[in-house]
Amino acid sequence: MARSTLGKRTRSSKENDVVDLPAKRQKRQTRSSVINDENTDPAAIAIRNKPNYEETTTEIVEESLAKPSPSKHVDDAKPREQADYTPITPTTPRFRDALARVPVTPRHRVMSAGRVSKRLTPQTPLTPTAVQTVYHHARQLFSRSADPGQLIGRDDERRQLKAFLQRCSTSTPSGCLYVSGPPGTGKSAMVNEVTQEVVDKKTVKKAYINCMSIKSSKDLYATLLDQICHEAEISEDDVATTVQKLFMPRRKSTEVYLVVLDEIDHILTLDLESLYRLFEWSLQKSSRLVLVGIANALDLTDRFLPRLKSRNLKPELLPFLPYSAAQIKTIITTRLQSLVPEGSPLPFVHPAAIELCSRKVSSQTGDLRKAFEICRRAVDLVEMETKQKHEAEIKEKILLSTPSRKPLGENANLSSPSKRLSDKTPSAMLAASLKTLTVENAPRVSISHLNKITAAAFSNGTNQRLKTLNLQQKAALCSLMALEKRNRASRTSSVLTTPSKSSHTIAPSVKSLYDTYCLLCTRDSVLHPLSSSEFREVVGSLETLSLVSAVDGKTGSLAMLQTPSKRGKRSGFSLADEKKVASCVGEKELEQAVEGLGVDILRSILSGEALD
């Protein structure tokens, strides 16, 4: 047995080995070909996973060795009768698509560890809202759209207007009243108030027309018909006739028509004849029209309607004079007292500021609307200063506050900041601080605030006066400024100059100023100089405007009186030319006013290069 085991192989054992080898070798090849085949049916994959898959495959291979198949790509998991099977396109992709899944934003907050800065997510911007303060109530009192209420200071005009309108209750109500006065004297407000009282008590049809909205005489008549009788389907040719029949009926009528025409001077530019008709209709005895006309001109009826005077048809006149300082003060004080209980101090505006405003307005125009505008602008100025003060206090409070111990982090992904965080923002702190202001403790308008507003409102500032000067006046002022600049420079450079001499050099006389003016103007022939008499008139006009002042006392304005010398006669100068003058304008203000026509000439004169 040892020989048979260790010796040469027998022939029978060799045959057995040969029979088994092809099956095993073919089995390996079959497995590798099945794995690499692209057209394999997906159903065969499930069959391969079964436990008896090797046995089935072995049987198929043995049959295929006995009878080979002509097709190379035939499904091994199916019977022979399906040899003509069409390959199926694989639905499973061979490679994985990295972008097949849509990326999803994580719903939790992403923390960036190790970073000091915060990555904030986009948030919905908040709509900026203006912080409304307590000054809003005062601003509404002085706005043009505010209710005028009970008019104060027009008792005589009210009494005369009521006496005229009493004719509406009589059998002959015809009449005409012409109300005149400067703008802002309460004409329209008084007429509307009194006429409305008459309409409410009696059966009177009222029509109010602002003639600025009228484009033609036909438009005037059509507007009257719309407000009085509301008749429709009336042709344009019959409008004037229809209005005449209403105001001057042939039969007796109890209807009374009260027509108020505001700004009637506008009709003068359109059709004078229509204005004549209305005045004549109202002055006829059989008329049922009561006409009240309002305009600014005092003598409108005498200048533009002389035909009325020739026919002995004179309307009644009611002039409204400008408001006095006492009336303006009373009106402003009454409006401000309506915001507080009786006996409380006056809010928002100091009484001294009200006194100054009333005196300024009454001395200029007497326009109550101008006084209201000044008060409103002064309230706006105080409100702006109050906001700036509160903002500065909040910034200082934030800087002095201790830093928070909360670590740096990121805001949540929200559409708007949380209420807890928004309460600590500077804007929220400012709004909370301004809400503490009340009518009683709010800062009031002072005299300094009112002076700033009136200087700009009445154009009496230095800049406004400089803009009204002509070229020669500006040239004379620039020459004086250049001469004073050179004198100051020479005074500082000379240490040994006596005080009397230095005073003479600072304030030049009119004569020396004229010589300097001629020198600067004739340099390069930039401007033709005036004569000495014309130049003195220019200096006088500048002194009237308070741009130049005469220097007196120790500065050398009063020279020692002496008889005119021959030199003075030859030069044409008199004692008036020895008067010393000084400018009342700053150099920067004058540089800003140098504009417009001849700006290069004035700048060359102001530089004073010819004096060096």
Side-chain angles (χ1 to χ4, degrees), residues 49-321:
N49 296 332
K50 294 181 181 180
N52 57 353
Y53 174 71
E54 291 189 2
E55 298 178 0
T56 308
T57 308
T58 304
E59 294 176 358
I60 294 173
V61 169
E62 290 176 354
E63 292 179 1
S64 62
L65 289 174
K67 189 176 180 178
S69 175
S71 177
K72 187 176 180 179
H73 301 286
V74 178
D75 191 1
D76 298 331
K78 297 206 175 184
R80 287 178 56 86
E81 56 269 11
Q82 296 181 357
D84 56 347
Y85 173 73
T86 304
I88 301 174
T89 304
T91 57
T92 305
R94 298 180 61 185
F95 303 99
R96 185 180 67 87
D97 190 1
L99 301 177
R101 296 181 60 188
V102 179
V104 181
T105 304
R107 296 184 178 180
H108 61 278
R109 184 173 61 181
V110 180
M111 300 296 296
S112 55
R115 291 192 177 186
V116 179
S117 62
K118 298 188 297 183
R119 296 182 301 175
L120 302 179
T121 54
Q123 298 178 352
T124 304
L126 299 177
T127 304
T129 56
V131 180
Q132 193 173 20
T133 62
V134 70
Y135 293 98
H136 177 68
H137 304 291
R139 193 182 298 108
Q140 285 184 335
L141 286 178
F142 300 118
S143 63
R144 293 208 169 189
S145 59
D147 184 15
Q150 182 73 22
L151 294 179
I152 302 172
R154 295 296 182 187
D155 298 333
D156 296 338
E157 291 82 355
R158 184 192 301 272
R159 192 180 305 109
Q160 186 175 352
L161 184 59
K162 285 185 175 181
F164 171 78
L165 294 177
Q166 285 180 357
R167 66 184 63 202
C168 294
S169 58
T170 61
S171 58
T172 56
S174 62
C176 178
L177 178 66
Y178 175 65
V179 182
S180 62
T185 53
K187 303 184 300 295
S188 301
M190 177 63 70
V191 170
N192 288 331
E193 179 183 345
V194 177
T195 53
Q196 190 62 37
E197 294 177 359
V198 175
V199 172
D200 295 339
K201 294 180 181 180
K202 304 171 184 177
T203 57
V204 178
K205 294 183 178 182
K206 176 187 173 182
Y208 175 83
I209 300 176
N210 191 330
C211 298
M212 296 295 292
S213 60
I214 301 300
K215 299 180 180 180
S216 62
S217 59
K218 294 180 180 180
D219 192 10
L220 174 63
Y221 297 140
T223 308
L224 284 173
L225 288 177
D226 291 339
Q227 296 188 17
I228 291 177
C229 59
H230 306 286
E231 292 186 7
E233 298 180 359
I234 300 177
S235 61
E236 295 183 357
D237 300 333
D238 301 335
V239 170
T241 306
T242 306
V243 172
Q244 185 178 3
K245 290 180 180 179
L246 284 175
F247 294 157
M248 300 182 65
R250 295 180 180 179
R251 298 179 181 180
K252 290 185 178 181
S253 175
T254 58
E255 296 288 343
V256 179
Y257 302 99
L258 178 59
V259 177
V260 180
L261 297 180
D262 201 353
E263 305 289 347
I264 60 175
D265 49 357
H266 180 68
I267 305 181
L268 300 176
T269 60
L270 299 178
D271 189 5
L272 187 61
E273 187 63 28
S274 60
L275 192 60
Y276 262 122
R277 287 180 182 178
L278 289 175
F279 272 90
E280 290 176 355
W281 292 343
S282 63
L283 294 175
Q284 297 293 332
K285 292 183 179 181
S286 61
S287 174
R288 310 297 298 177
L289 172 62
V290 180
L291 180 64
V292 179
I294 306 174
N296 297 332
L298 297 175
D299 55 349
L300 183 139
T301 55
D302 296 336
R303 282 192 302 166
F304 301 103
L305 303 175
R307 197 169 69 187
L308 296 177
K309 189 176 181 180
S310 63
R311 296 183 181 182
N312 200 18
L313 300 175
K314 295 182 179 180
E316 298 184 21
L317 302 180
L318 177 59
F320 273 66
L321 300 179

Side-chain angles (χ1 to χ4, degrees), residues 384-401:
M384 182 184 65
E385 292 182 356
T386 306
K387 284 184 178 180
Q388 292 176 354
K389 181 180 178 181
H390 282 255
E391 287 178 359
E393 292 177 355
I394 290 173
K395 289 180 181 179
E396 184 178 359
K397 183 179 179 181
I398 293 175
L399 291 176
L400 294 178
S401 61

